[in-house]
Amino acid sequence: VMTKTIDSALATHYTGSALTLARLWKVTRQDATVYAFTDHDTSLVYSGTTYAPTSAFSGSAISTRAEFNVDDLEVVGLLDSSGITEADIEAGLWDSATVELRQVNWASLTDGEEILRVGWIGQINRRAGGFVAELRGLMQRLQNNIGRVVQPLCDAELGDARCAKSLTTFTHATSVSSVTSRRVFVVGTSQVS
C-alpha cells in the first residue's frame, strides 16, 4: 500500500473553507542549475529556494495510483524570460532534469508541504513558441532493465569477450574462386551451397 504524508498543519488547512494554496515547481538540470517557479502571483521563498511567479507552466491532471503503473505527467510551457530557451532545449540541457512538484499554503509557508510529484524530464517537443515536456514518474525506473538479463541459454555472441570459446581453431583463410549464384560458390576447388 502506498501512502502519502502531508504535514499536519497543512492537512488542517485543507479542511478549512478558504484555501490559500500554491504549487511550487523546482527543476534541477544535469549541470546543477536550479529553476524554481510557482503559480502564485508573487515570489515565494520556501526551504531556501525562491520560486518566481509564472503563468507559463501548466500540468496535465496529476494522479497517483496504488498499482505499479507508470504515472507520467505532461508539462506545457512557453519559451520566455523564465530562463527556458529553445537553444538550451536543443542542446539537451533539460534532458533528464529532476523535477519536484509540491503544494504549500502560501499564506503560512511554515505549515509544511505536500509532495505532488517527483520525477525527471523525459522527451521534450517544441510546439508553436512553447514546449511540451514529459515528466516521468519514479515508477518509470522500474520499467528499465539494469544490468544483464539472465536466461537459460547463453546470451553472449560466439567468440566475443564474454564467450569462453576462441574462434581461432575455426578460422581458415581462403578465397572464393567463382560464384554461380547467391547460394552456390566455389572455394578453392570445393563447391559450397
Side-chain angles (χ1 to χ4, degrees):
V1 175
M2 296 175 68
T3 60
K4 183 184 279 193
T5 59
I6 302 171
D7 291 319
S8 59
L10 185 60
T12 302
H13 179 69
Y14 281 167
T15 63
S17 58
L19 299 179
T20 52
L21 300 175
R23 287 189 175 174
L24 307 178
W25 296 81
K26 183 177 180 182
V27 183
T28 307
R29 295 190 328 196
Q30 294 293 315
D31 62 1
T33 305
V34 175
Y35 292 83
F37 309 100
T38 180
D39 60 2
H40 190 54
D41 57 357
T42 60
S43 293
L44 296 175
V45 178
Y46 183 76
S47 291
T49 302
T50 301
Y51 292 83
T54 185
S55 59
F57 279 101
S58 64
S60 61
I62 298 170
S63 64
T64 301
R65 297 180 294 271
E67 306 90 30
F68 284 115
N69 297 339
V70 177
D71 289 335
D72 288 343
L73 173 68
E74 193 174 76
V75 178
V76 179
L78 302 175
L79 298 173
D80 63 3
S81 60
S82 63
I84 301 173
T85 64
E86 187 174 349
D88 286 351
I89 292 173
E90 289 293 323
L93 295 178
W94 291 88
D95 295 350
S96 300
T98 58
V99 178
E100 301 169 23
L101 173 58
R102 55 183 42 89
Q103 189 161 258
V104 297
N105 174 4
W106 60 261
S108 178
L109 292 173
T110 58
D111 285 358
E113 64 185 21
E114 176 187 3
I115 301 293
L116 299 177
R117 177 74 76 242
V118 175
W120 72 96
I121 293 178
Q123 184 174 352
I124 302 175
N125 296 310
R126 289 179 297 157
R127 283 192 204 155
F131 65 91
V132 177
E134 176 189 45
L135 176 60
R136 295 182 177 166
L138 295 176
M139 294 306 246
Q140 176 72 34
R141 299 275 190 208
L142 297 178
Q143 301 287 327
N144 300 334
N145 289 334
I146 299 172
R148 290 179 51 213
V149 177
V150 178
Q151 55 190 7
L153 300 175
C154 180
D155 66 339
E157 292 292 326
L158 181 62
D160 73 3
R162 290 190 299 119
C163 180
K165 191 67 174 172
S166 172
L167 297 181
T168 56
T169 58
F170 300 105
T171 304
H172 178 67
T174 188
S175 61
V176 175
S177 56
S178 68
V179 177
T180 306
S181 69
R182 288 180 169 224
R183 295 185 178 187
V184 179
F185 56 92
V186 176
V187 175
T189 58
S190 304
Q191 181 171 324
V192 180
S193 57

